[in-house]
Amino acid sequence: MKLHGHARLELTDVHTGEVEVVESDNLITNAVSDIFNGYGGSLNKAMLLWRGDTGYTGAPKDLVSMFYGGLLLYDTALGAEPGTLFAPAAAGVVGTARCNVVNTTKNTTRGSANLTETNIDPAGGVVSYVYEFATNQANGIIRSVCLTHPMGALYSEMTEAPDASPTNIDRLAFGGALGGDQLLTGLLATDCYPTNEKGVLLYADPAADEAVAGRVDVENAALELSHHCLGLHTLDLFRRDTAGTWDSLLRTETLDITDFLQDVSANAGRYCRLCFDAEADKLYLVSIPAGSSIAVGASIKVREYDRKTLAAKDYTVPNNTGGTLRGLVSESRATPLNGTVYGGSLYMTDPATYQIYRFPLSDPTDVQAVTMHSDYMQPLCDAHDGRLYCYYRTRGVVLNTEKNELFSCEAAGYDTASSGFSTTVPVLGEPAAPLRRYLSDNRIRTERVLRANYLATINDLPKAVEKTADKTMKVIYTLRKGEDA
């Protein structure tokens, strides 16, 4: 379906009444098209049309607002490329807003929807979202105006995010039937990586119609990668036996890790970590010394595997932070930030202060302390496009790898002591819609979810706009059906 978008910014000086107007047409990205036509194909469309929501209370009932009802203002021009689905980490969020919601919190990034002037007319093929920002909201330089999912309005990068509240920010789901839960249930570990467990889900590959899980077999000094059928393109009826058991295993690859693990005891699963960086297309196996902490001068081993060829490259990362680092890198319900490799860097934390350290694999001795702003990040919920995310019960936390800083945002999670934090699993070729992996009913389950801060449109302004405390701002964003972008 063709769409045309137009943005108009009106900045009014509260002292003189002078109004500055900046407006331009936009680019419609591939984000919403990819969501509809990705993992699950036409089933996704049928589910949305039937359900009328995305699995959280208060979802817009018109499909346009469901996917375009959020506003993101950036301080950087993002470029007119349809394949740009997320803002780079270098781009700062100046302002946000959500359709049909007035901001009554103390948050000075998020503005309010103008409920009177907003016009949503699906039958007429046009919607006009009107957002307003007070003098203390969205102050800064604005170079790009983008539409996103309504829940994207809860994404921002502040040193202190006030009034955060639990949301479904990390679990905007299409329903378990489309997430592969039934086909994947039973193949995944419910705790960590020890020899008696089945492994952790690393990624799904719709093109190959498979999902890949990994486990460390300490007894046989092996890394096992098990490939399981997803049944998206074809379904083998003979894979279910007369007892009703589904056998999803296609094949297993075994990689020798002799002398790589630093502990081979019965507790060895606590001291190794397997993770996957979809953007680098690399698997990483991390091995640390046994113990609750890693002493000064001790070393961490990292083995990098090319996903396609499984060619390996080893790194030795010394603890030259001047203090101890946290041990125990395995997963126990929550995926830890500690031991994560993303964007070519290993992330480790201090066990007492929660200080995050970044070790670039290109030069493991070049340890970099993350600017924490008196915050912390322990579990990891997601990592993509230069940012690492966690959603606590009280606020969301974002580690911006470009700025090497830890920020907070309004989004908070619904985690509990029994369910743990949810974690995304990459779906190759589908950056906007990964799988969510979570513990429920004493088993690991999966469902297809949305990353809510995708760029549905990109509107780089013809000139930079400066919003100050002397100005109010109105943003009018109109989408029309049936016109070329």
Side-chain angles (χ1 to χ4, degrees):
M1 181 182 75
K2 293 182 178 180
L3 283 175
H4 176 74
H6 183 82
R8 176 184 172 95
L9 278 68
E10 300 176 357
L11 290 92
T12 302
D13 189 304
V14 296
H15 305 294
T16 67
E18 181 181 355
V19 179
E20 176 187 5
V21 177
V22 178
E23 54 187 323
S24 66
D25 290 345
N26 70 210
L27 169 83
I28 305 294
T29 74
N30 296 336
V32 176
S33 175
D34 289 352
I35 291 166
F36 273 119
N37 296 300
Y39 182 8
S42 61
L43 288 177
N44 293 330
K45 303 171 190 175
M47 178 64 79
L48 285 168
L49 295 173
W50 173 61
R51 287 169 59 93
D53 62 51
T54 55
Y56 72 96
T57 304
K61 299 310 175 186
D62 66 284
L63 288 178
V64 179
S65 295
M66 188 183 296
F67 292 96
Y68 293 91
L71 180 73
L72 291 171
L73 307 176
Y74 288 99
D75 62 7
T76 303
L78 304 181
E81 295 293 335
T84 301
L85 302 190
F86 293 92
V93 180
V94 180
T96 71
R98 181 180 175 188
C99 65
N100 299 322
V101 174
V102 175
N103 180 16
T104 59
T105 74
K106 298 176 182 178
N107 191 308
T108 57
T109 301
R110 182 159 59 92
S112 295
N114 183 316
L115 304 181
T116 302
E117 297 183 22
T118 293
N119 176 37
I120 301 175
D121 181 14
V126 61
V127 296
S128 288
Y129 300 112
V130 181
Y131 302 105
E132 294 185 336
F133 296 85
T135 55
N136 67 332
Q137 295 172 338
N139 288 329
I141 301 297
I142 301 171
R143 289 190 170 92
S144 192
V145 182
C146 305
L147 294 183
T148 184
H149 190 280
M151 297 293 275
L154 301 182
Y155 281 97
S156 53
E157 295 181 0
M158 298 172 282
T159 54
E160 293 183 9
D163 300 328
S165 59
T167 68
N168 286 78
I169 198 72
D170 60 338
R171 54 195 72 181
L172 302 172
F174 287 91
L178 299 183
D181 173 64
Q182 298 304 314
L183 297 183
L184 299 179
T185 292
L187 69 92
L188 305 175
T190 56
D191 193 2
C192 52
Y193 300 127
T195 56
N196 63 342
E197 282 285 9
K198 299 178 181 180
V200 62
L201 185 62
L202 297 172
Y203 63 88
D205 184 355
D209 206 8
E210 67 178 23
V212 177
R215 67 181 285 264
V216 175
D217 182 348
V218 175
E219 183 177 354
N220 295 300
L223 171 61
E224 291 184 354
L225 299 176
S226 55
H227 296 248
H228 298 262
C229 60
L230 283 176
L232 296 175
H233 303 311
T234 60
L235 185 62
D236 186 345
L237 300 181
F238 290 89
R239 285 196 170 273
R240 187 163 187 168
D241 61 26
T242 55
T245 301
W246 178 263
D247 177 17
S248 63
L249 183 63
L250 297 171
R251 69 185 188 280
T252 299
E253 295 174 288
T254 302
L255 307 178
D256 182 23
I257 56 172
T258 302
D259 299 327
F260 179 77
L261 297 181
Q262 300 191 61
D263 182 74
V264 292
S265 69
N267 295 321
R270 301 177 183 178
Y271 310 117
C272 62
R273 170 82 190 279
L274 184 62
C275 55
F276 175 60
D277 184 343
E279 293 161 18
D281 212 18
K282 306 288 186 184
L283 296 165
Y284 293 94
L285 181 62
V286 177
S287 170
I288 67 172
S292 60
S293 62
I294 303 171
V296 175
S299 293
I300 303 165
K301 294 182 179 180
V302 178
R303 181 163 290 177
E304 175 187 272
Y305 293 97
D306 181 274
R307 182 186 66 85
K308 298 184 181 70
T309 66
L310 296 180
K313 182 177 181 179
D314 286 348
Y315 302 89
T316 299
V317 180
N319 177 13
N320 59 350
T321 63
T324 60
L325 292 172
R326 184 180 301 276
L328 306 176
V329 295
S330 71
E331 296 191 15
S332 181
R333 296 182 180 173
T335 298
L337 172 68
N338 204 45
T340 294
V341 180
Y342 172 73
S345 292
L346 170 70
Y347 290 87
M348 301 293 295
T349 59
D350 183 290
T353 65
Y354 305 113
Q355 172 66 51
I356 301 170
Y357 292 99
R358 175 181 180 178
F359 298 84
L361 296 183
S362 59
D363 182 3
T365 64
D366 181 25
V367 60
Q368 302 166 11
V370 173
T371 301
M372 302 292 288
H373 296 301
S374 301
D375 212 328
Y376 62 91
M377 175 187 282
Q378 293 186 73
L380 179 66
C381 296
D382 199 4
H384 66 92
D385 296 276
R387 293 176 170 92
L388 292 87
Y389 301 83
C390 179
Y391 310 105
Y392 293 100
R393 298 169 193 162
T394 54
R395 77 259 184 254
V397 183
V398 180
L399 199 168
N400 186 306
T401 64
E402 178 73 21
K403 301 175 182 178
N404 208 37
E405 291 185 69
L406 191 64
F407 298 101
S408 58
C409 61
E410 282 191 89
Y414 275 123
D415 63 281
T416 66
S418 60
S419 65
F421 288 82
S422 66
T423 304
T424 61
V425 177
V427 176
L428 300 185
E430 299 188 26
L435 292 175
R436 180 171 80 96
R437 180 169 56 90
Y438 63 104
L439 181 69
S440 177
D441 300 325
N442 294 314
R443 66 178 184 177
I444 295 295
R445 307 188 67 163
T446 61
E447 62 180 347
R448 184 172 183 261
V449 296
L450 295 182
R451 286 170 169 153
N453 57 341
Y454 59 77
L455 304 178
T457 70
I458 298 175
N459 196 320
D460 288 342
L461 300 178
K463 68 173 185 176
V465 171
E466 184 176 10
K467 166 73 167 64
T468 68
D470 295 315
K471 300 175 182 178
T472 60
M473 181 172 65
K474 178 182 288 188
V475 178
I476 305 168
Y477 210 121
T478 302
L479 286 174
R480 295 184 182 276
K481 181 176 70 172
E483 299 184 35
D484 291 324

